[in-house]
Amino acid sequence: MGRKDRRNFKKGGGGSGRRSNNNRNWVSIEKENAAWESFYKEQNIPPVEEFEEFKKSCQSDLPLTFRITGSKKHAIQIREAMEKDYIPTLKDIVWDGEPVDPPKPLAFYPDNLGWEIKVGKQVIRKNKAFGRMQRFLVVETDVGNISRQEAVSMIPPLLLDVQPYHTVLDMCAAPGSKTAQLVEAIHGNPEVPRPSGFVVANDSDYKRSHMLIHQVKRLNSPNLVVTNHDAQFYPKIKTGAGDYLKFDRVLCDVPCSGDGTMRKNVNVWKDWTIGNALGLHATQVNIMQRGVQLLKPGGRIVYSTCSLNPIENEAVVAEVLRLNKGNLQLVDAKDELPGLIAYKGVSTWKVQGKDKEWKQPGDEGMANSLFPPTEEEASNFNLDRCIRVYPHQQDTGGFFISVFEKKDNNNNNTEKKRAPEGESSEQRPEKVPKSTEQQAATTAATEKKDKLPRDALEEPFKFLAPDHPTLKECWDFYGISEGFPRDSLLVRNATGEPVRTIYYVAPELRPILQENESRLKFVHSGIKMFAQQKNDGNCKWRVQSEGLHLLYPYASPKRVVRMGKVDSLRELCVNTFPKLEDVQKIDEELYSQVKELDEGCCFLEVPFSEVDGDIVVYPMWRGRSSLNIMLPKQDTQELLHRVFKIENVKGEAKPQSESSVAPESAKESETATPATEEPKQPEESDAPTDEVKNEEE
């Protein structure tokens, strides 16, 4: 699994294939590797008549690609805003005598929510229209409405076909772009505002698991758990019913040599050796086999790499099919993405050793699982159902994807071979000879699974009783009805008492967190529902924007006010902490309601569309003599930019006419807010002043 491209929209264009020395001396990395070229030509990957085009594509920079994220309704609103206000201005542009392609949707991504931009840095920096587009992308990325992601990386989650009721395991999840797609799929049906499915996202690297949290937090999903374990030995998860959890969907986007990423990771050109793939083969088989064991009969599992080497791809697929003896089958899933251009998987390949000699089955030091299947096996395995994406086909990176379904029958005994704690080695494939360094790494991984890290339980998940005095204060103040799942709120501290923040998780995750506290290292779960407010008020716990969309449907009208006109929202965003007498001048209807409210947090309804009844809800603080919309700075800026056309290109604000595109309803929102809620600083002492920090930190 390749590392995430850490560049952002602010830096424009693709990679340059250079490295800097003191920001002055530039050394070009030669995009040539004779061993790589010889290996793939010998494999006929891709077909020999296409190799030069393939190589030329590998030597070129990748286009900038991104997804529009969040719930489907909101994502379509962002797309429509972009298509209406920005894309038309990017057509028919000529730069240095050459036409510049406007942004276009990815052919295979549903609903035109995946896009690519093929322009250089100079165009973005100096062309006003592209500069304006860049600013839009930056603003929407800051609030999580847009996520930069390589095009081929978007494919595996799409083929996993996740539904709102599915339990999903992402075994090697960091840095999190694919996990985000899985979470979005859980929340993909607007008719299911509170889905029963959830995603368990795991990564073996503790630091990368926190990178994962940063990526998925913007989705504000209570249906997510992040864990930190070696995927080869992922523990069984107890459920509240006393049995062990089997997943409906499993994603194995495994660690790989990454030679499909050489368009963005130019170091691959100089570092590529056949030993990289040989050293990872056994680990890849182990991870995939453990994923199969954790998969529910009838479930679907996707195995993917950003490598084109059959040793890491079809060889792994064949070995896993071999180990499962007919209980697992490949699915021909290519037609599920009609716009995707790709090659079929291969059933024959050659195996090269570290000495660069071509090997045969039985040669010393070469595991049998590295070699192609027998003719009889090949006819049963159907490796042609695997998907190979080559860079020259649709101007992407290289990628391999295979989709499996686990047969629903009674003779599946793969799990019986495994000890209860997942410590038996019987689930491992035939051993591949390893170097001393690889054996040491395996030993370290085994020790890691035997004993959790020292800090694993420093931040426990402590659930609050539904009638806890603090929660009762919140239920009464906001008038929350009995239908809200009151037993799903928790704190992250050893005392189990609310201190600064109260979190909420989906009810389905409560038994997972409670029953597996000593078995799993939980890194993250839950969204912030309430934060303590230092200022006086009838309730010192204010609603957080992360959990607002879940709580609002159950709130009493006594803490709900409605804005009379959309333009009033712009005034409240631009003019912070207006006095109540100023609010009366802005919106008489709103003033007549808030003047009757007690001091404290309330729900502000904004009627963005009177035609279809599109109501958006924001948290608002009613002070002694002022109001404040409690949104982070990035969210406020995004509202002003997209909805009210107050743009800021090169530092100059330019108000424009009001757009008909509105943000999504809070009831369906998956839009991100930063981890720290930071209201604007007040001009009077009665308004919120504290900065609420995440207790996980």
Side-chain angles (χ1 to χ4, degrees):
M1 179 171 59
R3 297 291 179 117
K4 182 183 177 184
D5 184 353
R6 300 298 297 165
R7 295 168 296 169
N8 56 41
F9 292 110
K10 297 178 182 179
K11 297 181 181 178
S16 64
R18 305 175 185 179
R19 290 182 294 181
S20 66
N21 181 15
N22 296 327
N23 296 323
R24 291 187 177 183
N25 300 322
W26 293 84
V27 179
S28 177
I29 295 178
E30 184 181 15
K31 297 182 179 180
E32 293 283 350
N33 187 305
W36 167 84
E37 185 168 344
S38 173
F39 177 82
Y40 280 107
K41 280 185 174 179
E42 190 70 24
Q43 305 288 356
N44 198 33
I45 295 176
V48 63
E49 64 272 13
E50 298 180 24
F51 191 86
E52 290 307 315
E53 182 184 2
F54 162 74
K55 179 181 176 182
K56 184 178 179 181
S57 180
C58 289
Q59 292 171 326
S60 65
D61 292 337
L62 270 175
L64 183 153
T65 52
F66 61 90
R67 289 189 308 109
I68 303 172
T69 66
S71 70
K72 187 172 182 180
K73 177 180 178 181
H74 181 52
I76 288 176
Q77 290 175 344
I78 300 296
R79 186 202 70 198
E80 289 176 346
M82 184 176 70
E83 290 176 329
K84 176 184 176 182
D85 299 330
Y86 296 91
I87 301 301
T89 68
L90 302 176
K91 297 178 180 179
D92 302 321
I93 292 178
V94 177
W95 189 262
D96 286 343
E98 296 291 332
V100 177
D101 293 330
K104 66 178 182 179
L106 296 171
F108 62 84
Y109 204 92
D111 301 308
N112 288 350
L113 295 179
W115 286 73
E116 66 176 359
I117 302 178
K118 300 179 181 181
V119 296
K121 296 179 181 179
Q122 292 299 317
V123 177
I124 292 178
R125 288 173 179 170
K126 297 184 178 182
N127 181 272
K128 184 177 180 180
F130 270 102
R132 181 170 171 264
M133 175 70 175
Q134 180 210 26
R135 178 60 182 166
F136 171 79
L137 295 177
V138 169
V139 170
E140 297 301 332
T141 300
D142 284 345
V143 297
N145 289 338
I146 283 176
S147 176
R148 183 169 178 177
Q149 183 177 350
E150 189 173 342
V152 288
S153 173
M154 306 175 191
I155 299 173
L158 294 175
L159 292 179
L160 205 56
D161 188 29
V162 173
Q163 302 299 321
Y165 50 86
H166 282 156
T167 54
V168 185
L169 173 63
D170 188 351
M171 300 191 75
C172 309
S177 56
K178 298 180 188 68
T179 307
Q181 283 182 263
L182 300 176
V183 173
E184 290 167 26
I186 290 290
H187 297 276
N189 187 349
E191 302 300 321
V192 186
R194 210 173 71 197
S196 59
F198 55 83
V199 175
V200 177
N202 176 71
D203 201 85
S204 62
D205 187 286
Y206 183 73
K207 290 182 178 179
R208 280 171 60 82
S209 68
H210 278 274
M211 183 192 308
L212 160 67
I213 294 170
H214 177 74
Q215 177 81 301
V216 297
K217 258 191 172 183
R218 60 182 173 77
L219 295 173
N220 297 337
S221 174
N223 300 62
L224 171 70
V225 173
V226 178
T227 63
N228 174 217
H229 286 276
D230 185 340
Q232 298 176 89
F233 312 102
Y234 197 81
K236 296 165 72 173
I237 299 177
K238 289 183 179 179
T239 69
D243 55 3
Y244 292 100
L245 177 65
K246 293 286 189 177
F247 291 91
D248 298 291
R249 298 289 188 267
V250 176
L251 176 60
C252 294
D253 185 54
V254 299
C256 69
S257 63
D259 63 10
T261 70
M262 52 178 37
R263 296 185 69 179
K264 68 175 183 179
N265 297 327
V266 293
N267 285 337
V268 174
W269 284 100
K270 66 180 183 65
D271 296 337
W272 189 94
T273 68
I274 187 60
N276 296 337
L278 293 173
L280 286 165
H281 173 80
T283 298
Q284 293 164 339
V285 174
N286 287 344
I287 293 174
M288 178 61 183
Q289 180 63 4
R290 186 56 182 147
V292 173
Q293 292 170 346
L294 294 170
L295 183 67
K296 181 184 298 183
R300 175 174 285 204
I301 183 170
V302 168
Y303 174 85
S304 63
T305 74
C306 51
S307 168
L308 299 177
N309 195 327
I311 299 302
E312 302 179 76
N313 296 327
E314 286 88 351
V316 173
V317 170
E319 178 65 2
V320 171
L321 290 171
R322 198 175 287 123
L323 288 169
N324 287 279
K325 301 178 181 179
N327 291 320
L328 194 69
Q329 63 182 5
L330 276 169
V331 176
D332 190 355
K334 184 178 178 300
D335 291 342
E336 295 178 20
L337 297 178
L340 179 65
I341 300 174
Y343 269 94
K344 297 179 179 179
V346 298
S347 293
T348 60
W349 57 88
K350 297 182 178 181
V351 179
Q352 190 179 54
K354 292 182 179 180
D355 57 4
K356 299 185 179 180
E357 297 293 328
W358 298 103
K359 304 296 183 179
Q360 298 297 325
D363 284 354
E364 183 180 358
M366 306 303 292
N368 290 334
S369 60
L370 296 170
F371 293 90
T374 65
E375 187 174 335
E376 181 181 356
E377 285 179 327
S379 65
N380 293 324
F381 288 171
N382 299 307
L383 295 180
D384 61 318
R385 294 179 179 176
C386 299
I387 298 171
R388 288 183 152 268
V389 180
Y390 297 139
H392 65 291
Q393 293 178 289
Q394 287 182 294
D395 200 9
T396 66
F399 223 76
F400 174 87
I401 312 102
S402 52
V403 182
F404 304 78
E405 287 183 359
K406 191 173 186 179
K407 292 184 179 180
D408 191 356
N409 52 38
N410 296 322
N411 64 345
N412 186 349
N413 60 2
T414 59
E415 182 62 28
K416 295 179 182 179
K417 296 180 181 180
R418 191 175 182 87
E421 293 299 323
E423 297 176 358
S424 169
S425 62
E426 291 184 76
Q427 86 281 6
R428 298 181 186 177
E430 182 178 355
K431 290 185 178 180
V432 177
K434 295 181 178 181
S435 65
T436 303
E437 293 81 0
Q438 290 172 322
Q439 291 174 356
T442 302
T443 302
T446 304
E447 292 175 353
K448 179 178 180 180
K449 71 178 177 59
D450 287 340
K451 184 178 180 181
L452 291 178
R454 183 179 62 181
D455 62 347
L457 302 176
E458 286 185 358
E459 296 173 338
F461 293 79
K462 296 292 186 179
F463 282 86
L464 300 174
D467 59 352
H468 188 283
T470 297
L471 291 183
K472 190 175 186 305
E473 177 185 357
C474 296
W475 307 145
D476 293 344
F477 182 75
Y478 295 105
I480 305 302
S481 65
E482 293 289 341
F484 182 79
R486 299 186 175 193
D487 60 351
S488 296
L489 289 108
L490 58 91
V491 295
R492 296 295 308 274
N493 61 61
T495 68
E497 289 297 319
V499 179
R500 290 195 303 267
T501 308
I502 299 175
Y503 300 88
Y504 170 86
V505 297
E508 292 75 13
L509 285 179
R510 175 172 177 156
I512 303 298
L513 294 169
Q514 289 183 314
E515 297 293 332
N516 298 277
E517 185 177 11
S518 62
R519 301 167 58 86
L520 286 170
K521 181 182 178 184
F522 294 112
V523 181
H524 166 81
S525 189
I527 59 174
K528 290 190 283 188
M529 183 64 73
F530 299 108
Q532 191 177 78
Q533 184 59 51
K534 294 180 180 178
N535 302 84
D536 294 333
N538 292 338
C539 178
K540 63 180 181 180
W541 292 91
R542 57 187 173 91
V543 178
Q544 298 286 273
S545 56
E546 289 183 19
L548 179 81
H549 63 287
L550 291 168
L551 196 64
Y552 164 70
Y554 301 93
S556 165
K558 69 179 183 179
R559 295 304 300 177
V560 177
V561 296
R562 188 182 181 93
M563 190 166 275
K565 51 186 179 180
V566 176
D567 281 345
S568 303
L569 179 62
R570 174 172 53 190
E571 296 299 322
L572 293 183
C573 287
V574 173
N575 303 308
T576 59
F577 296 95
K579 303 290 186 180
L580 289 184
E581 54 265 30
D582 295 327
V583 173
Q584 184 176 16
K585 299 174 184 177
I586 296 171
D587 193 319
E588 179 65 39
E589 182 178 340
L590 176 62
Y591 169 75
S592 64
Q593 300 168 70
V594 297
K595 72 175 183 179
E596 304 298 331
L597 279 183
D598 293 332
E599 183 181 352
C601 187
C602 63
F603 301 91
L604 172 64
E605 297 180 340
V606 181
F608 274 91
S609 175
E610 297 292 349
V611 178
D612 58 13
D614 189 10
I615 302 296
V616 185
V617 182
Y618 300 102
M620 185 172 72
W621 185 265
R622 201 287 198 199
R624 283 195 297 269
S625 58
S626 69
L627 299 180
N628 177 36
I629 294 183
M630 304 177 73
L631 288 177
K633 179 181 178 181
Q634 297 96 320
D635 292 58
T636 303
Q637 185 178 22
E638 192 273 342
L639 270 176
L640 293 173
H641 189 135
R642 177 169 57 90
V643 178
F644 300 111
K645 297 298 179 286
I646 301 178
E647 300 182 2
N648 184 17
V649 179
K650 293 184 179 180
E652 182 179 356
K654 298 182 179 181
Q656 297 183 12
S657 61
E658 179 181 336
S659 169
S660 60
V661 181
E664 67 176 324
S665 169
K667 294 182 181 180
E668 300 168 350
S669 171
E670 296 302 329
T671 307
T673 55
T676 300
E677 296 268 58
E678 187 175 6
K680 309 176 191 72
Q681 291 301 313
E683 297 178 357
E684 59 175 336
S685 60
D686 69 315
T689 60
D690 65 317
E691 178 178 331
V692 181
K693 295 184 179 180
N694 193 334
E695 290 179 40
E696 292 178 87
E697 301 171 357

